[in-house]
Amino acid sequence: MKRVGFKKILLTAAASALLLTGCGGGETKTASGPVEGVPERFAKGEEVKIKVIRKIGGDDHTAQFLAGAKAEGEALGFKVDVFTANGDTAKFHDAINQGLQQDYDGFIISHGDDAATVEDVKKLAEKGKSVVTFDSNPDLAQVEGVTLTSQDDEALATQALDQLVKDQNGEANIVYLWVDGFPPMVRRNKVYQETLKANPGIKEVERFGVAAADTSVQTQNAVAAMLNKHPKGEIDAIFATWDAFAIGAARAIKEAGRDEIKIYGIDVSNADLQEIQGKGSPWKYTAAVDPKLIGEVNMRLLAKKLAGEETPATYDLEASLISQEELQKSKNPVNMASLAEIIDGWGKSDAFLEDWMEKLKEHYKK
């Protein structure tokens, strides 16, 4: 959540919860003096203030995205505040407009899916603020100087659906868990529709989707109701386009004892990995990008903008397919930190990591 983006309802740590309740400050690091070999903007150790504002929240993916952005920014010596509106559109736009009146140098805007976000970002740009967006309205490309980042949503959907088609030998009745209105979901749905067209043996029998503070709970209830309508043998698999959907579906399937139904999802977090590795879990595959890394890369792009360096108009983060079988082969439980031992290259990228950033990190580490 190449492209991305979405995710979970229960937080996995108290620290994560703090990130999700509004503004999250932190101790501002102070330089011991000038920094050599870095862009002029950062050479004198003057304060750099960043605001990260995310529309969706209440899930582990959000917590990790914010943590990644905050940690990378603070490592560079920036003061980073984070805010999530937990799906409240009014609070989301209020946070942007409040930030506009404050002395922030740059903004990372996540999941701004509506036209009002474009107008908000235009105002930020007119005031000379640097802006990077993640999984937001594609019309933001009209705002000069803004970089649009995303997961490769086409790759995420393709990886999960290709595995579903392969496992089911091209013949299956499936439930589609999806919600409209978000750019990543629109891109994932396009792949889904193409997959159905190319594989007429894959039949959609039900669909459900809602983006809310309790998405996983609502999904669990909806899937439980679907299972009551369709006795064993009528549903073979579920395609969940967001891990909050997959978590809810997995709980409903286990409670109903319907272990013949397999889940193919998108996105990953510690809560997801725990579920996938659980005994008898129906969640067989998930395609994902490390959300912490997404936050880090977005912050690096913003730093380059502040430095006056060239940045691309768009950037997609590469996706990986994670299988239950691979995870269960591990001698120890796999979490987000140890996933790199299972998935080659997971959580690592030198994208937009400049030598001068390493110098800043070394300087502020002292």
Side-chain angles (χ1 to χ4, degrees):
M1 337 134 223
K2 316 200 166 195
R3 294 194 174 142
V4 154
F6 276 66
K7 304 51 179 173
K8 248 106 301 92
I9 279 330
L10 295 178
L11 302 180
T12 57
S16 297
L18 290 174
L19 284 173
L20 298 175
T21 55
C23 290
E27 294 186 10
T28 305
K29 297 183 180 181
T30 56
S32 57
V35 192
E36 295 183 358
V38 303
E40 184 178 354
R41 175 64 181 84
F42 311 121
K44 297 180 181 179
E46 296 175 355
E47 184 177 68
V48 177
K49 291 183 64 177
I50 307 298
K51 188 67 177 281
V52 185
I53 303 172
R54 183 162 165 123
K55 185 174 181 179
I56 65 171
D59 60 295
D60 198 30
H61 186 279
T62 293
Q64 292 179 59
F65 170 83
L66 295 177
K70 187 175 179 66
E72 188 74 353
E74 291 182 344
L76 293 168
F78 303 165
K79 182 181 186 300
V80 183
D81 294 328
V82 301
F83 176 87
T84 174
N86 286 320
D88 188 313
T89 299
K91 288 182 179 179
F92 173 71
H93 292 296
D94 284 347
I96 298 176
N97 287 307
Q98 288 174 21
L100 181 64
Q101 305 306 318
Q102 298 166 333
D103 57 347
Y104 289 103
D105 301 285
F107 291 80
I108 295 174
I109 306 295
S110 175
H111 290 85
D113 57 305
D114 54 12
T117 301
V118 180
E119 296 307 310
D120 289 343
V121 172
K122 283 180 180 177
K123 293 176 185 177
L124 294 175
E126 288 168 359
K127 273 210 167 184
K129 309 298 184 182
S130 296
V131 182
V132 176
T133 68
F134 172 64
D135 268 0
S136 294
N137 191 327
D139 290 342
L140 285 162
Q142 301 168 6
V143 185
E144 186 175 355
V146 174
T147 294
L148 285 67
T149 69
S150 59
Q151 300 178 101
D152 187 341
D153 290 291
E154 285 85 355
L156 288 167
T158 298
Q159 288 178 0
L161 284 166
D162 282 356
Q163 191 65 51
L164 185 158
V165 172
K166 178 183 176 182
D167 290 353
Q168 301 295 329
N169 295 315
E171 300 283 340
N173 291 328
I174 69 172
V175 171
Y176 182 38
L177 300 180
W178 173 79
V179 61
D180 201 357
F182 296 91
M185 289 297 186
V186 172
R187 293 189 289 264
R188 295 170 192 183
N189 183 62
K190 183 175 182 290
V191 175
Y192 173 73
Q193 298 300 336
E194 291 171 349
T195 300
L196 291 187
K197 186 176 180 180
N199 298 274
I202 304 296
K203 308 288 188 182
E204 179 187 309
V205 295
E206 294 272 6
R207 70 164 61 190
F208 172 80
V210 61
D214 61 345
T215 293
S216 64
V217 175
Q218 291 196 44
T219 303
Q220 181 177 351
N221 293 337
V223 171
M226 291 177 193
L227 296 178
N228 287 332
K229 287 170 57 180
H230 299 277
K232 193 167 185 176
E234 290 191 6
I235 296 175
D236 301 299
I238 291 176
F239 174 45
T241 53
W242 180 14
D243 54 353
F245 292 152
I247 283 281
R251 291 171 182 160
I253 288 171
K254 286 193 293 186
E255 286 186 2
R258 298 287 295 274
D259 57 3
E260 81 279 8
I261 301 172
K262 312 305 179 188
I263 297 174
Y264 300 79
I266 292 177
D267 300 326
V268 72
S269 71
N270 281 315
D272 295 339
L273 290 171
Q274 184 176 5
E275 172 60 45
I276 295 170
Q277 294 171 88
K279 185 177 180 181
S281 174
W283 194 348
K284 300 303 178 183
Y285 288 89
T286 196
V289 178
D290 182 0
K292 182 173 181 290
L293 181 63
I294 297 169
E296 292 173 0
V297 170
N298 275 257
M299 186 60 71
R300 293 174 197 165
L301 276 163
L302 189 58
K304 284 176 67 66
K305 289 182 183 295
L306 293 170
E309 296 185 351
E310 184 177 351
T311 53
T314 62
Y315 182 72
D316 297 338
L317 291 106
E318 188 174 354
S320 299
L321 185 65
I322 302 165
S323 76
Q324 182 184 74
E325 184 179 6
E326 287 179 304
L327 297 177
Q328 292 182 343
K329 285 180 180 177
S330 174
K331 294 180 180 178
N332 300 307
V334 180
N335 56 31
M336 294 295 288
S338 61
L339 190 56
E341 299 171 12
I342 307 297
I343 306 297
D344 187 40
W346 178 262
K348 298 184 179 70
S349 174
D350 59 1
F352 310 109
L353 181 60
E354 308 295 342
D355 290 343
W356 59 261
M357 293 183 188
E358 299 287 16
K359 291 179 181 179
L360 280 176
K361 289 181 179 183
E362 185 63 28
H363 180 78
Y364 286 99
K365 189 171 67 174
K366 295 175 183 177

